[in-house]
């Protein structure tokens, strides 16, 4: 029946079918991080990047699109995390295939193409396929006969296989209001052997039933209404089609396997894990849950990091950290205790990197991040798990079943144990975690520590307040359908009525001095942080009487069309409805603009001097400095940095005009604009070019810029360093910041010159001379010290030389002396005792004894040998030595036996004399 196809081939055949058979445009997957939509933590469906098209606020150059979208369902309303690993079908990350009509074709075409692809191209038997259509169980919305009829006429379709279902299964809504419509699903009957409830009394296999025999393959959504209220639908003029087919699912069907993990999309990762554990096939099967979790989470983590979401404490970054740690813990359950996830992720990159090149491009970043996060987790996890086990044992002994939220939070804050792992471990012992309590403790921690950023919300919670306010304002005509107008480009001042004041997440009608409030105006000229440029600050004041003032300290854009000022009431009592003037802090903004334009010049210069590979990997544009991260494998040399700085300043002095144009994305790219990887762009982009007649800088950018590069003044690099493997960071200042830096440094230089009593230009030579002088002085001191020691030693020689049967012997330790000094001392000894003399001196260096011994020439003829003596004393101390007959040196290990060694010298002399008396 079906052809043997790989997962990658199935994905490609889907796309090719819609391109070649049906004239669709292929649209690459958008990032897992939804652009400009803070209500969503992750892209969770194919339609996310087309949402604005359905809402009518965005237009595309095409009306038919096909894509394979990267999706994550791991937080918020759609959270499949709990099921991942327990079954064969749920994933945190997955791919969604879809074809789209934006006011173009409709049900008849969509259904015919779906049928042709499944039955003709992929050869699924028509008699095993079923279709479901919409019949309203409430009775308000007409039955979808149009779709049902389209199904019945498909070649080979059994009319009795077209079924009707109600709102739960077959009606799709984006939100409580907005675009919606009936949907039609295609189900595959995989046959009785796939039923997981075989033989259970009362069970019947059926479409939308409760067993695994029928598989929902593909959902075709027909958007034909706009919902205005729970009871009010209006027909849309332009009707749309939005279809979704999970890639993993269709691949499992076409490869005829009963688990997504048995498809070639995921089995290679499972095999890597088996290789790492050395398990037999039976052992792999017995540990299937850890295998599935590690496979799923490694794939998700690789895709997340490729989209710039690295492990961290907040929001998306927290999710990345959590899934890596969860995978690491499941690894430890099957004996994988060393960092191993990068090996699994490398297989992900190998299998997915052709279709998703961002994986290959970011390979080393992905692998490094995984390894680092695993090591970080391993350092604390044992303590955390031990503490948790104790807590759980206590609970059980007290007959309790729920771990308090504060305890779970404490485990996270202290040991880095994410809530999800604590919950996993608790569940393994049939216990629960108070998750609401966890979130409460997290909020309290945030309040107490003021660390809003460290443990921020997981996203989207505060948006509802604004949504209610905005819808209310829109109904009353105070706000346009697009929401707040945000134009930071033309003016630094705007006037309008206060639409809403929000305090502590609640809408209020008036505020008083000291209140921290959020203010909604119909229009604002404040820039909202985006593309690395930080938000504007400023004031909002009353336009008339009574007077009041709000200091604006930050901006936020919780969702499309919502732009909110965040500030504190300085004076007076602002009320909703008051006419207000919003003013951006102009000086601060000009500083920011200088820094932003400078980043474009820097980007150009980096590519010119380091090469085309030096691409932007992140940036921060603040009033006092700019930071620019870029890909480059090694440190930038001082010489290169000087050339980069000089080049940027040359282009500042060139005083080029900035040309700002709005044009279609495709045109801008064709003309050579640099699009930032991972950034979401609309169809119409803002294109900034610098340089005449041919622009040397050409970027897509929504930031605010100076008019001419000369406005930047001067550009100075303050540092260059590494942020991650293969990523460098340059920090720099411009304009006022650069002037302040120069002033600070010049002041310091003047002070140095004053101290040196010279002119600033002479300070290097003068400093050099001073350093040489200092060096000489140090040498003299060392010399005098050794002379002093020698003279003390000479005194000591007079008193402490012993006579051993006619041999003059001196032994002693000289604290702090090195071997050189000791040798010089033995010379002094031999000057005083030119014949019949033996000397052994010891010292200690870093806990290790050293010896120098000398013997007069006449004794050598009598069988004395300095090297032999050195060995003789060093051996008991675990050391060895050697040298000439008259001078030798030795080292040992155990300084505690030094005195004993010195005391043994008379015996050695005696033994020599015994052999051959003098
Ligand atoms: Zn069944
Ligand atoms: Zn920019």
């Amino acid at each position: 029946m079906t052809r043997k196809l790989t997962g990658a081939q199935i994905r490609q055949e889907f796309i090719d079918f819609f391109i070649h058979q049906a004239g669709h445009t292929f649209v690459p997957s958008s990032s897992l991080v939804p652009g400009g939509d803070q209500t969503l933590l992750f892209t969770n469906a194919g339609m996310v990047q087309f949402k604005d098209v359905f809402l009518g606020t965005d237009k595309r150059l095409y009306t038919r699109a096909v894509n394979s979208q990267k999706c994550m369902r791991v937080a918020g309303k759609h959270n499949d995390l709990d099921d991942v690993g327990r079954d064969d079908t749920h994933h945190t990350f997955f791919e969604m295939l879809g074809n789209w009509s934006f006011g173009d074709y409709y049900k008849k075409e969509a259904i015919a193409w779906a049928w042709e692809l499944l039955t003709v191209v992929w050869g699924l038997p028509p008699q095993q396929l079923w279709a479901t259509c919409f019949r309203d169980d409430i009775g308000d919305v007409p039955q979808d006969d149009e779709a049902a009829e389209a199904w019945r006429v498909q070649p080979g379709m059994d009319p009795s296989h077209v079924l009707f279902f109600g709102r739960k299964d077959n009606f799709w809504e984006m939100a409580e209001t907005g675009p919606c419509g009936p949907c039609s699903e295609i189900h595959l009957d995989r046959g009785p052997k796939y039923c997981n409830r075989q033989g259970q009394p009362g069970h019947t296999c059926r479409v939308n039933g409760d067993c695994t025999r029928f598989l929902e393959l593909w959902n075709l959504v027909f958007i034909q209404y706009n919902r205005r209220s729970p009871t009010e639908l209006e027909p849309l003029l332009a009707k749309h089609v939005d279809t979704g087919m999970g890639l993993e699912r269709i691949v499992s069907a076409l490869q005829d396997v009963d688990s997504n993990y048995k498809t070639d999309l995921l089995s290679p990762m499972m095999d890597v894990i088996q290789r790492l554990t050395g398990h037999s096939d039976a052992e792999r099967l017995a540990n299937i849950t850890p295998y599935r979790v590690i496979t799923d989470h490694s794939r998700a983590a690789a895709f997340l990091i490729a989209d710039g979401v690295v492990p961290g404490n907040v929001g998306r970054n927290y999710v990345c950290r959590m899934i890596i740690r969860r995978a690491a813990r499941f690894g430890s359950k099957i004996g994988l205790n060393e960092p191993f996830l990068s090996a699994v992720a490398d297989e992900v990159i190998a299998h997915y990197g052709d279709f998703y090149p961002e994986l290959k491009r970011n390979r080393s970043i992905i692998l490094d991040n995984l390894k680092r996060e695993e090591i970080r987790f391993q350092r604390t996890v044992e303590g955390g798990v031990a503490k948790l086990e104790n807590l759980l044992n206590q609970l059980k002994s007290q007959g309790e079943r729920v771990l308090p939220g504060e305890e779970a939070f404490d485990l996270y804050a202290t040991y880095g144990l994410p809530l999800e792992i604590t919950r996993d471990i608790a569940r393994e012992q049939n216990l629960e975690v108070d998750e609401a309590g966890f979130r409460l403790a997290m909020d309290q921690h945030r309040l107490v520590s003021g660390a809003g950023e460290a443990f921020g919300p997981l996203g989207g919670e505060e948006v509802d307040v604004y949504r209610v306010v905005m819808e209310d304002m829109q109904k009353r005509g105070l706000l346009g359908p697009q929401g707040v107008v945000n134009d930071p480009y033309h003016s630094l001042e705007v006037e309008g009525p206060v639409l809403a004041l929000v305090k502590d997440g609640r809408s209020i009608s008036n505020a008083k001095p000291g209140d921290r409030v959020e203010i909604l105006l119909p229009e604002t000229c404040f820039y909202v942080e985006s593309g690395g440029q930080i938000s504007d600050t400023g004031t909002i004041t009353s336009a008339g009487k009574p007077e009041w003032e709000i200091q604006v300290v930050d901006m936020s854009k919780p969702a499309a069309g919502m732009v909110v000022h965040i500030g504190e009431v300085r004076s007076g009592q602002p009320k909703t409805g008051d006419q207000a003037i919003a003013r951006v802090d102009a000086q601060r903004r000009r500083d920011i603009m200088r820094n932003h334009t400078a980043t474009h010049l820097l980007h150009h210069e980096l590519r010119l001097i380091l090469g085309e590979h030096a691409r932007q990997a992140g940036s921060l544009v603040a009033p006092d400095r700019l930071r620019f991260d870029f890909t480059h494998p090694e440190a930038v040399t001082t010489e290169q940095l000087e050339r980069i700085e000089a080049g940027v300043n040359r282009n500042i002095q060139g005083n080029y005009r900035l040309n700002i144009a709005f044009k279609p994305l495709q045109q801008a790219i064709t003309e050579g604009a640099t699009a930032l990887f991972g950034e979401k762009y609309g169809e119409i982009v803002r294109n900034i070019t610098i340089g005449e007649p041919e622009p040397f800088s050409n970027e897509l950018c929504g930031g605010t810029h100076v008019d001419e590069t000369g406005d930047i003044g001067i550009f100075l690099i303050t540092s260059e360093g590494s942020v991650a493997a293969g990523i460098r960071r340059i920090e720099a200042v411009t304009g006022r910041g650069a002037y302040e830096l120069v002033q600070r440094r010049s002041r310091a230089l003047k002070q140095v010159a004053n101290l040196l009593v010279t002119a600033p230009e002479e300070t290097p030579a003068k400093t050099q001379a001073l350093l040489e002088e200092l060096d000489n002085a140090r040498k003299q001191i060392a010399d005098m010290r050794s002379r002093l020691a020698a003279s003390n030693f000479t005194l000591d020689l007079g008193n402490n030389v012993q006579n051993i049967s006619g041999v003059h012997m001196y032994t002693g330790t000289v604290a702090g002396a090195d071997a050189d000094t000791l040798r010089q001392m033995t010379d002094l000894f031999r000057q005083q005792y030119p014949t019949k003399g033996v000397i052994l001196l010891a010292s200690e260096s870093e806990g290790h004894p050293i010896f120098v011994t000398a013997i007069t020439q006449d004794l050598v003829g009598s069988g004395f040998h300095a090297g032999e003596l050195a060995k003789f004393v060093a051996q008991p101390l675990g050391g060895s030595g050697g040298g000439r007959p008259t001078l030798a040196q030795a080292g040992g290990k155990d300084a505690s036996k030094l005195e004993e060694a010195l005391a043994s010298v008379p015996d050695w002399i005696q033994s020599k004399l015994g052999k051959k008396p003098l």
Side-chain angles (χ1 to χ4, degrees), residues 531 596 599-600 616 688 699-703 705:
H596 198 146
T599 62
H600 287 214
Q616 179 165 359
I688 298 182
E699 300 205 21
L700 306 182
C701 174
H705 288 270

Side-chain angles (χ1 to χ4, degrees), residues 746-876:
S746 134
R747 202 177 295 136
L749 184 60
K750 274 181 211 149
Q751 284 170 356
V752 174
N754 282 341
L755 290 171
L756 295 177
V757 201
T758 189
E761 292 75 15
E762 302 300 326
T763 50
K766 187 99 185 212
T767 309
Q768 184 69 36
L770 269 179
L771 287 174
E772 274 163 23
E773 222 171 277
L774 186 62
D775 206 35
N776 283 335
R778 281 196 181 123
K779 273 185 197 139
Q780 278 176 21
I781 290 171
D783 192 39
M784 283 167 75
R785 274 211 186 113
S786 89
R787 277 193 223 183
L788 187 64
S791 104
N792 286 341
F793 173 69
T794 317
L795 273 177
D796 199 44
L797 278 182
N799 302 325
N800 291 318
V801 170
Q802 296 174 46
N803 189 318
I804 311 290
S805 309
V807 172
H808 309 291
M809 180 206 77
Y810 179 90
T811 63
T813 57
V814 186
D818 58 12
D820 247 2
T821 312
L822 295 183
R823 260 193 304 276
Q824 285 166 21
M825 289 176 172
T826 62
D827 288 345
L828 286 173
F829 173 82
R830 280 185 290 180
Q831 280 161 24
Q832 284 201 25
Y833 299 94
T835 58
K836 294 197 177 63
V838 171
I839 179 169
L840 179 84
L841 294 173
S843 168
E844 218 184 297
S845 167
E846 290 169 1
H848 295 301
I850 54 173
F851 299 100
V852 172
T853 177
I855 288 171
T856 49
Q857 186 65 45
D858 60 311
L859 288 178
V860 174
S862 311
F864 283 67
H865 194 290
E868 192 192 320
L869 175 58
K871 262 186 220 146
F872 174 78
V873 292
Q875 252 157 15

Side-chain angles (χ1 to χ4, degrees), residues 259-295:
S259 163
N260 293 353
Y261 294 94
K262 292 181 187 169
T263 67
D264 74 325
L265 293 172
L266 292 166
S267 63
M269 284 59 112
M270 304 283 276
D271 294 343
V272 170
I273 301 167
Q274 186 172 3
R275 236 180 2 254
L276 291 171
T277 56
H279 279 165
S280 66
D281 289 350
E283 285 167 324
R284 166 169 162 170
L285 203 60
N287 290 291
I288 199 69
T289 299
Y291 271 80
R292 287 172 183 155
V293 172
I294 295 165
T295 295

Side-chain angles (χ1 to χ4, degrees), residues 3 129 142 147 284 409 457 535 754 818:
R3 293 177 293 134
L129 293 174
R284 166 169 162 170
F409 176 72
S535 293
N754 282 341
D818 58 12

Side-chain angles (χ1 to χ4, degrees), residues 195 203 205 211:
C195 174
H203 172 68
C205 300
C211 73

